[in-house]
């Protein structure tokens, strides 16, 4: 199989179309493993992830890198609706699409997530034992310690905005939007000193990222604890944790790694956003996939 460049494809999900980049390796020997990837809190497929996708593709993997419904180049109204259950559904829709993709091995599908989606892949992987492996980097794994990082005043303001947004949604009104990231002391979901410069370094001039999300998420966010699903994961898991992470707490990520039966833990000496710029992380992830997926090709 030989291709010149990535393909821009559309994948159906619950009546909408997910925008995705499809990467195919230049040469394969039979059906190749496939990595299904999506970004974290509000970010899109173009924001720091193509480098990972290319690294996996260069190592011989098919890669599907997609935007969730309501975000980026995908369809879905209202825009910027960050719905945890829908994002899980989108992962599952892409996995099922990849299992039917020519040249991809349906029994060697890998889930990859970063930050908020680092929690998604734990939750989705725990419900699908057919998934061959999971990579979770800089992962959000538990809302409770994450909320403790948010100033109380901001917590109250976000809950009030969430109530207005949910009431407006029932009445058919446009969403009440909050900033995803801001400087310390401002009202935003992420205000650690590392957050604003971290996003600035990820988001390019051609990105479709918008610094906003529908506030109604904050009515559900406190109950999202994907680390509690880790013990149910039967596949190999690689957890890549940033020791100086000020955005997604380290302790619950370490607990998730300890509770997953077949988890490997890699730790890196920087904050939440440093992991996107460290080539060693990509090398570690490729090595993990090559090691865990060797000799597991589908016999179908």
């Amino acid at each position: 199989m030989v291709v010149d460049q990535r393909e821009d494809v559309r994948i159906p999900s619950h009546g909408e179309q997910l925008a995705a980049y499809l990467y195919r390796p230049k040469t394969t020997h039979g059906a190749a493993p496939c990595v299904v990837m999506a970004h974290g809190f509000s970010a899109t497929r173009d924001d720091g992830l193509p480098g990972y996708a290319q690294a996996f593709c260069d190592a011989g993997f098919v890669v599907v890198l997609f935007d969730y419904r309501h975000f980026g180049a995908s369809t879905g109204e209202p825009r910027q609706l960050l719905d945890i259950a829908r994002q899980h559904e989108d992962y599952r829709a892409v996995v099922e699409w990849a299992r039917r993709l020519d040249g991809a091995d349906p029994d060697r599908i890998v889930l990859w997530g970063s930050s908020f989606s680092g929690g998604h892949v734990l939750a989705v992987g725990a419900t699908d034992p057919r998934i061959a492996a999971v990579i979770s980097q800089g992962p959000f794994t538990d809302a409770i310690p994450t909320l403790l990082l948010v100033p109380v005043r901001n917590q109250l303001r976000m809950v009030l905005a969430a109530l207005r947004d949910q009431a407006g949604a029932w009445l058919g009104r446009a969403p009440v939007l909050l900033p995803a990231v801001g400087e310390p002391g401002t009202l935003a979901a992420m205000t650690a000193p590392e957050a604003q410069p971290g996003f600035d370094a990820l988001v390019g001039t051609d990105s479709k990222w918008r610094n906003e999300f529908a506030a109604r998420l904050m009515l559900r966010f406190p109950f999202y604890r994907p680390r509690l699903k880790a013990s149910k994961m039967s596949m190999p898991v690689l957890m890549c944790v940033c020791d100086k992470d000020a955005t997604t707490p380290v302790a619950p990520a370490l607990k998730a790694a300890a509770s997953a039966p077949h988890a490997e833990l890699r730790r890196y000496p920087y904050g939440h956003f440093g992991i996107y710029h460290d080539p060693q992380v990509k090398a570690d992830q490729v090595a993990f996939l090559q090691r865990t997926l060797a000799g597991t090709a589908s016999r179908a």
Side-chain angles (χ1 to χ4, degrees):
M1 181 190 305
V2 179
V3 297
D4 295 325
Q5 58 187 6
R6 71 186 184 194
E7 302 173 54
D8 200 338
V9 300
R10 295 295 180 269
I11 300 172
S13 180
H14 300 270
E16 301 294 345
Q17 295 291 313
L18 305 179
Y21 293 137
L22 172 61
Y23 295 75
R24 293 185 182 271
K26 292 183 178 179
T27 59
T28 62
H29 302 284
C34 178
V35 182
V36 172
M37 308 177 61
H39 220 313
F41 197 100
S42 79
T44 73
R45 59 181 177 166
D46 290 300
D47 303 326
L49 297 195
Y52 287 89
Q54 192 62 58
F56 296 139
C57 184
D58 290 345
F61 299 94
V62 176
V63 183
V64 187
L65 169 56
F66 72 95
D67 281 336
Y68 306 108
R69 284 174 284 172
H70 310 283
F71 285 89
S74 293
T75 64
E77 295 293 338
R79 303 306 294 168
Q80 305 304 113
L81 176 61
L82 204 168
D83 185 296
I84 294 167
R86 292 189 186 199
Q87 293 191 347
H88 289 180
E89 289 172 350
D90 291 344
Y91 260 106
R92 294 186 182 104
V94 176
V95 166
E96 290 307 310
W97 183 86
R99 283 175 173 153
R100 299 188 298 270
L101 180 66
D102 181 47
D105 187 335
D107 293 317
R108 289 191 293 172
I109 304 294
V110 177
L111 297 179
W112 186 100
S114 185
S115 192
F116 203 51
S117 67
H120 290 351
V121 295
L122 301 182
V124 174
T127 64
D128 187 352
R130 194 180 176 191
I131 293 295
V134 171
I135 296 175
S136 176
Q137 73 165 34
F140 164 88
T141 57
D142 197 324
I144 294 175
T146 304
L147 285 171
L148 293 177
L149 301 177
V150 180
V152 173
R153 182 170 180 266
N154 274 5
Q155 291 185 36
L156 294 174
R157 294 170 70 188
M158 286 192 287
V159 168
L160 290 174
L163 291 170
R164 293 199 310 273
D165 185 34
Q166 186 62 70
W170 289 333
L171 295 172
R173 296 174 182 168
V176 175
L177 298 172
L178 291 172
V181 61
E183 297 289 348
T186 64
L187 176 63
M190 292 173 279
T191 58
E194 66 179 3
Q196 187 69 65
F199 262 87
D200 289 345
L202 281 181
V203 177
T205 56
D206 295 330
S207 172
K208 294 184 180 296
W209 177 71
R210 291 164 51 181
N211 187 18
E212 52 193 14
F213 69 99
R216 71 195 73 168
L217 167 72
M218 303 313 296
L219 299 178
R220 300 163 181 84
F221 178 82
F223 307 100
Y224 190 36
R225 308 185 70 191
R227 75 169 180 85
L228 300 180
K229 305 288 188 181
S231 63
K232 300 177 181 178
M233 303 179 73
S234 59
M235 68 291 295
V237 178
L238 177 64
M239 299 282 288
C240 299
V241 175
C242 305
D243 283 338
K244 298 180 181 179
D245 199 320
T247 301
T248 56
V250 172
L254 298 179
K255 291 179 181 177
S259 64
H262 307 290
E264 297 182 23
L265 175 65
R266 295 287 183 273
R267 302 178 70 164
Y268 302 91
Y270 37 65
H272 185 73
F273 295 90
I275 202 165
Y276 294 100
H277 311 289
D278 183 357
Q280 184 60 49
V281 176
K282 299 179 181 66
D284 291 346
Q285 294 178 2
V286 167
F288 165 78
L289 293 179
Q290 290 174 331
R291 184 173 64 255
T292 58
L293 299 181
T296 61
S298 172
R299 296 181 183 276

